[in-house]
Amino acid sequence: MLPPAPKAPARILYAEDDPNLGFVTRDNLERRGYLLTHCPDGTAALAAFRREVFDLCLLDVMLPGLDGFALARCIRELNPQVPILFLSARALGEDRIAGLRTGADDYITKPFSLEELVLRMEVFLKRAAGAVPPAPAALGTALGSFAFDPHNLTLHHTAGTARLTQKEAQLLAFFAQRAGQLLKREDILRQLWGDDDYFMGRSLDVFISRLRKHLRHDARVQLRSVNRVGFVLEVSEQSAA
């Protein structure tokens, strides 16, 4: 039996203008086997993303040339699926929400531990590695007129195919598996975010808004808020002609 092929190291785009922090983070991550392209400003990072293929992006927010939020929006236009993690000294809840609204998957405040960073990176890298081509006869879970494929992070509709981020797909899968059930906010947060504090709750609201935008093409599929309790995914049957 042939030995398994060696696992290719993950390619990381790292945008950080602080030379000391940049060197330390890059050195530690490269020692752990990652391949990093370190860019000192947002303009250089965007050029690198257009030139190369990356498995994950680590972005500072306060970058010269092109700030991290603008950079993330540009990356999302080019690739809706690549995981984006912000690393920022801006710790206010409003900054975190603004970052997630750009399409980012996570927001980590400085100072951070390398162990926590690596753990969060691996969560997204493993999910991305688990994406496999769908079987010809199984495009995904049916939600009204949508075909949802959580493994390949797609939501197909005759109006077009939406490319979901990993967190969007994870949240939609959580609802799809429990369609018609009222899910409490704190239960969703603990299951998918690991905490139910105020700022995590704000993050959930951002992702709910993003999912509603994706689901707008079919009025039979509604992600409904239940005031002060939680959310329920309602999927109505096709009306009789």
Side-chain angles (χ1 to χ4, degrees):
M1 178 182 291
L2 294 174
K7 180 183 176 182
R11 297 185 58 84
I12 311 297
L13 175 62
Y14 178 40
E16 171 59 65
D17 66 324
D18 184 320
N20 295 321
L21 177 59
F23 173 80
V24 170
T25 304
R26 176 177 180 175
D27 183 62
N28 276 275
L29 292 179
E30 287 182 337
R31 287 174 182 269
R32 295 172 186 251
Y34 300 100
L35 292 178
L36 263 74
T37 296
H38 177 207
C39 299
D41 61 72
T43 303
L46 181 57
F49 190 85
R50 284 174 168 155
R51 185 175 62 247
E52 304 175 45
V53 176
F54 294 98
D55 300 300
L56 185 143
C57 300
L58 298 175
L59 310 180
D60 185 21
V61 172
M62 295 181 287
L63 292 169
L66 189 68
D67 70 50
F69 291 164
L71 173 59
R73 284 190 287 269
C74 292
I75 289 174
R76 271 287 165 259
E77 290 178 0
L78 296 168
N79 186 326
Q81 295 174 313
V82 64
I84 299 175
L85 282 67
F86 279 115
L87 306 175
S88 178
R90 291 168 58 170
L92 293 177
E94 289 74 13
D95 293 321
R96 177 187 181 88
I97 299 306
L100 294 175
R101 281 178 174 154
T102 67
D105 296 279
D106 207 346
Y107 191 104
I108 304 171
T109 56
K110 301 176 182 177
F112 53 85
S113 73
L114 262 297
E115 289 73 16
E116 178 189 5
L117 174 59
V118 169
L119 285 173
R120 295 208 194 186
M121 288 170 56
E122 282 300 314
V123 167
F124 291 104
L125 290 170
K126 287 177 181 177
R127 288 177 190 161
V132 296
L139 291 177
T141 301
L143 294 174
S145 56
F146 293 100
F148 172 44
D149 184 344
H151 296 291
N152 288 299
L153 311 180
T154 58
L155 185 65
H156 180 73
H157 189 269
T158 54
T161 298
R163 302 289 179 178
L164 306 179
T165 68
Q166 290 188 30
K167 184 65 79 173
E168 288 172 346
Q170 185 184 21
L171 182 59
L172 183 55
F174 192 76
F175 279 113
Q177 292 162 5
R178 301 162 180 81
Q181 299 179 31
L182 173 59
L183 303 180
K184 295 182 179 179
R185 291 179 64 91
E186 58 266 30
D187 292 338
I188 300 170
L189 289 167
R190 292 194 187 105
Q191 286 290 325
L192 302 187
W193 272 266
D195 200 344
D196 63 349
D197 68 15
Y198 171 77
F199 294 117
M200 293 298 182
R202 293 284 304 279
S203 299
L204 171 60
D205 291 335
V206 172
F207 281 94
I208 291 290
S209 177
R210 282 158 57 170
L211 286 183
R212 284 173 172 157
K213 183 177 179 181
H214 290 312
L215 296 170
R216 70 188 184 279
H217 298 296
D218 189 344
R220 294 174 299 150
V221 183
Q222 297 288 329
L223 193 48
R224 186 167 61 85
S225 300
V226 178
N227 192 34
R228 304 174 71 90
V229 179
F231 305 92
V232 58
L233 178 65
E234 296 179 342
V235 183
S236 304
E237 295 294 332
Q238 178 69 49
S239 301

